[in-house]
Amino acid sequence: MALGNVAKLLLRLKNLVALRHKSATEISSEGVPALRCAENKELFSLIAQISPVGIYISYVEGSCIFVNEKWCSMIGLPREEILGQGWRSCIHPDD
């Protein structure tokens, strides 16, 4: 990832952290759960993007729902081919 992109991601992360520290009176009580959910999703996305390790998430039955770019580069397949059951193509038939 280019250094400029990392700097942009870190700035977004800093803004998210600052938003988490707003007082409860600045955010309506109805908006707090939705805001926290959106913040958590964006925070995870940022961490996954800048992480030096591969991140893979799947449902219990094995359907892949998320991989980060590092995981894709480690496996050598684009995200589109990995999601769902596509990741199975990386497994040796005898395994």
Side-chain angles (χ1 to χ4, degrees):
M1 177 177 288
L3 190 56
N5 290 338
V6 171
K8 288 177 189 173
L9 289 173
L10 290 175
L11 180 59
R12 284 176 57 200
L13 183 58
K14 179 183 173 187
N15 291 339
L16 271 177
V17 169
L19 183 61
R20 291 183 84 77
H21 294 290
K22 275 190 162 185
S23 71
T25 58
E26 294 178 86
I27 304 170
S28 70
S29 61
E30 298 83 23
V32 171
L35 180 62
R36 292 289 185 234
C37 183
E39 288 174 359
N40 289 339
K41 286 179 181 180
E42 186 168 3
L43 185 58
F44 172 79
S45 176
L46 290 171
I47 292 169
Q49 287 178 47
I50 63 175
S51 178
V53 299
I55 299 174
Y56 172 96
I57 301 174
S58 69
Y59 289 123
V60 173
E61 84 279 350
S63 181
C64 176
I65 58 171
F66 177 85
V67 291
N68 68 349
E69 284 301 317
K70 182 64 177 179
W71 202 90
C72 293
S73 68
M74 289 169 37
I75 299 302
L77 291 173
R79 177 178 284 115
E80 298 77 30
E81 290 184 31
I82 297 169
L83 295 177
Q85 298 297 322
W87 63 272
R88 293 177 185 257
S89 68
C90 302
I91 307 297
H92 190 278
D94 294 338
D95 286 342

